Amino acid sequence: MSGEAPNELLRSLPKVEEVLHAPLIEALLVSFPRSLVVEAVRITIDKLRQQILAKKPCDTSINRVARIASERARALTSPSLRRVINASGVIVHTNLGRSVLAPCAVKAVNEVACGYSTLEYDVSTQVRGSRHAHCEQLICALTGAEAAIAVNNNAAAVMMILSEFAGEHEAVVSRGELVEIGGSFRIPDIMALSHAAMREVGTTNKTHVTDYAQAIGPNTTMLLKVHPSNYRLIGFTETVSVKELRMLADAENAQRATGEALTTTESHEVLVYEDQGSGAFLRLDSFGAWAEPTVTESLRAGCDLVSFSGDKLLGGPQAGIIVGTKHHIDRLKSSPLARVLRLDKMTIAALEATLRLYLDPERACAEIPTLRMLTEPAETVRKRAEMLLHALQNALPLGCAELDVIEEVARAGGGALPMCDIPSFAVRVTYLHGDALSCERYLVTQREIPVVARIKKEALLFDARTILNEDEIGEIAQALCAYFTSLNSDK
Ligand SMILES: *Cc1c(COP(=O)(O)O)cnc(C)c1O
């Protein structure tokens, strides 16, 4: 067929009407809107025409066109964003949606999504209220902050703070903290975007307090500290603490208040801001010295502002939370960016419900999935791995694979606790039929609820730390069973 002249091939392309009468398409028309099917057929024929013109070989038979068009129509009507089973052992998995919401957070989202809400309505005074009011008191109660605001995500929070307080001015930051978080978030780029001049100090491995002191000039308005979320400097290193930055800023501000304010029309203070990344409310003591600092610790040490993510260690929805002194937060609230970066009602509902769980830390660890997975004893994880093992032993055809439970290492993910090996247990599937690679692909591409596992050597591992419940165990068993069945039907 590819030997035919392009003109002949073009003439052999079926008409839209002809394809619509193909049995496959007629069957499709029973349940799919006609306009959608017609469009799918038209686009399919169009693409084939382009292929012919590009001299690529192609099959122009009606049945072939009908098949491609029907796949296209089906793809449009099936959801792209879907639930996934995470058996990878990476808890805050950025590609898989980071944190799973607590049941009460899901309920809260459902409530405000199904009806009207008090999003910007103050029921006590019956006048217009602020959407920023719903979470502020809770955040303050949990962190000891004077004031707080939540925006779209932590990248937005960093951007907002830099442009409000360091825009057209200078922020001093250590060369050891010019981080890239992934997904194109780099501190130098955000600085440029917010029109803050970046004054780098120190070296990659060592920055001293004198480096900051020497860098402060009349145009400096911020000492920025960035938590190295996804990496750690170890060995011959030195960083400057928030406490030291606070003392430096206080000394500079005192000096400006006495002398220079008299000579310049506009006087600026130097503030201390920490981008904390993960933002833990609770110190996860089981992780020892590697545990992330808590928001409260940074505030107590003297930060004017601290920002962190809502969906990393906190285990809530995507959000960026900013805490700090009231007059700084007030300035952020009245910035136009507060409107641009504001949260929607579903996120506020989920965030408020998640935050409320933290009022009782024990409840938080039990009910917020991210915290539960981080803190669950290995023994409990082993029991879940054994449940999966039994489910597989019952479900899989005899002789298709060897199964056992092995000790494994899970990860916090999401750029948190990068040095921590979290003890875990996984079910190892060693293939007697098929192989790990093709099974991994099958589980992701061929299942309505994709299952994400991890390949190790020739086996596939299902880490039980991130498997949520018995339903997921049943679903994994069904999915593996379907894989082995598909091997037989291929023959
Ligand atoms: C993750 C992270 C960010 C970005 O936060 P998002 O909520 O993903 O926008 C910024 N800074 C640090 C240090 C981080 O770890």
Side-chain angles (χ1 to χ4, degrees):
M1 203 163 279
S2 53
E4 288 179 56
N7 277 343
E8 234 163 279
L9 258 179
L10 283 175
R11 268 196 299 276
S12 75
L13 272 174
K15 304 257 178 312
V16 174
E17 254 336 286
E18 291 172 327
V19 181
L20 288 176
H21 288 298
L24 190 64
I25 298 292
E26 286 198 323
L28 201 66
L29 281 168
V30 176
S31 49
F32 284 63
R34 188 178 171 84
S35 58
L36 187 144
V37 177
V38 171
E39 185 63 7
V41 171
R42 202 187 56 70
I43 292 174
T44 304
I45 295 173
D46 225 42
K47 294 225 155 170
L48 284 171
R49 181 176 298 118
Q50 283 161 21
Q51 273 186 35
I52 295 168
L53 292 173
K55 301 207 160 51
K56 290 195 192 124
C58 61
D59 179 352
T60 57
S61 67
I62 291 188
N63 283 344
R64 171 81 185 146
V65 176
R67 215 178 69 204
I68 302 174
S70 103
E71 273 165 21
R72 174 174 287 275
R74 279 181 199 283
L76 267 185
T77 54
S78 59
S80 165
L81 179 60
R82 284 176 293 159
R83 210 188 111 200
V84 158
I85 293 174
N86 176 10
S88 73
V90 180
I91 297 168
V92 184
H93 199 307
T94 296
N95 300 147
L96 304 184
R98 286 200 182 156
S99 282
V100 175
L101 293 180
C104 66
V106 174
K107 188 160 165 275
V109 172
N110 200 37
E111 295 261 323
V112 300
C114 288
Y116 293 99
S117 62
T118 57
L119 182 62
E120 291 188 354
Y121 187 58
D122 185 338
V123 286
S124 59
T125 55
Q126 286 160 283
V127 294
R128 183 180 174 160
S130 163
R131 71 175 65 212
H132 297 305
H134 299 290
C135 297
E136 184 169 12
Q137 281 185 3
L138 269 172
I139 298 170
C140 292
L142 292 167
T143 61
E146 267 178 42
I149 180 175
V151 292
N152 188 52
N153 56 13
N154 189 34
V158 176
M159 169 75 197
M160 188 176 179
I161 292 169
L162 286 176
S163 65
E164 183 63 32
F165 297 105
E168 314 302 338
H169 292 275
E170 220 169 67
V172 185
V173 59
S174 160
R175 289 196 173 89
E177 297 173 7
L178 292 175
V179 304
E180 170 171 328
I181 306 299
S184 77
F185 180 89
R186 292 173 139 192
I187 290 293
D189 299 343
I190 299 287
M191 285 258 186
L193 204 62
S194 60
H195 297 280
M198 182 170 76
R199 184 83 159 82
E200 302 169 41
V201 295
T203 59
T204 306
N205 58 328
K206 280 204 172 198
T207 304
H208 308 280
V209 71
T210 49
D211 294 327
Y212 285 91
Q214 282 160 12
I216 294 177
N219 206 24
T220 305
T221 54
M222 183 182 290
L223 305 181
L224 166 65
K225 197 162 172 57
V226 184
H227 185 61
S229 301
N230 43 8
Y231 70 103
R232 287 291 180 273
L233 285 174
I234 47 177
F236 187 62
T237 64
E238 189 170 327
T239 57
V240 179
S241 68
V242 169
K243 245 194 191 109
E244 292 168 293
L245 294 182
R246 176 76 268 156
M247 290 194 312
L248 213 55
D250 283 346
E252 176 66 19
N253 290 336
Q255 207 176 9
R256 285 185 191 182
T258 54
E260 292 162 21
L262 304 172
T263 55
T264 54
T265 45
E266 211 186 350
S267 105
H268 291 282
E269 60 160 344
V270 176
L271 66 80
V272 180
Y273 160 45
E274 181 174 27
D275 169 13
Q276 217 179 45
S278 280
F281 280 176
L282 308 174
R283 191 164 246 284
L284 299 172
D285 285 323
S286 50
F287 297 112
W290 294 120
E292 303 279 340
T294 65
V295 177
T296 307
E297 282 165 13
S298 288
L299 284 173
R300 287 222 182 108
C303 281
D304 294 295
L305 293 169
V306 178
S307 76
F308 50 96
S309 290
D311 55 355
K312 290 184 180 171
L313 288 190
L314 215 61
Q318 179 190 301
I321 300 170
I322 307 170
V323 295
T325 38
K326 186 168 180 319
H327 70 281
H328 292 115
I329 298 289
D330 281 346
R331 257 181 75 179
L332 291 174
K333 280 180 184 166
S334 55
S335 141
L337 280 178
R339 171 65 180 78
V340 175
L341 304 171
R342 75 183 186 185
L343 292 179
D344 81 307
K345 62 188 174 195
M346 291 184 281
T347 306
I348 293 174
L351 186 59
E352 190 190 352
T354 307
L355 291 169
R356 191 157 287 123
L357 286 175
Y358 275 97
L359 294 173
D360 176 356
E362 247 173 67
R363 213 179 145 200
C365 285
E367 292 185 30
I368 298 173
T370 299
L371 276 191
R372 180 180 59 66
M373 289 184 236
L374 281 167
T375 57
E376 195 167 60
E379 198 44 36
T380 315
V381 178
R382 190 172 63 80
K383 290 213 177 87
R384 195 176 308 116
E386 274 163 8
M387 275 177 69
L388 175 60
L389 177 74
H390 293 143
L392 294 182
Q393 282 167 341
N394 288 332
L396 298 188
L398 268 179
C400 62
E402 277 169 9
L403 306 167
D404 58 352
V405 168
I406 58 165
E407 261 189 81
E408 255 301 310
V409 175
R411 294 270 164 207
L417 303 160
M419 305 301 288
C420 292
D421 291 347
I422 304 172
S424 191
F425 287 90
V427 172
R428 176 169 61 185
V429 179
T430 311
Y431 293 78
L432 302 175
H433 277 302
D435 60 272
L437 205 66
S438 73
C439 185
E440 185 196 35
R441 188 174 331 111
Y442 180 90
L443 294 180
V444 172
T445 60
Q446 302 299 312
R447 298 293 298 173
E448 200 168 300
I449 304 174
V451 179
V452 179
R454 192 167 76 231
I455 287 191
K456 192 168 184 180
K457 299 195 178 131
E458 307 286 285
L460 204 51
L461 302 187
F462 297 84
D463 195 312
R465 193 169 276 278
T466 49
I467 295 172
L468 293 173
N469 49 40
E470 284 180 40
D471 285 351
E472 292 202 343
I473 288 177
E475 182 61 37
I476 294 171
Q478 277 182 31
L480 266 172
C481 215
Y483 166 72
F484 288 111
T485 310
S486 79
L487 291 178
N488 292 332
S489 63
D490 283 352
K491 276 176 198 152

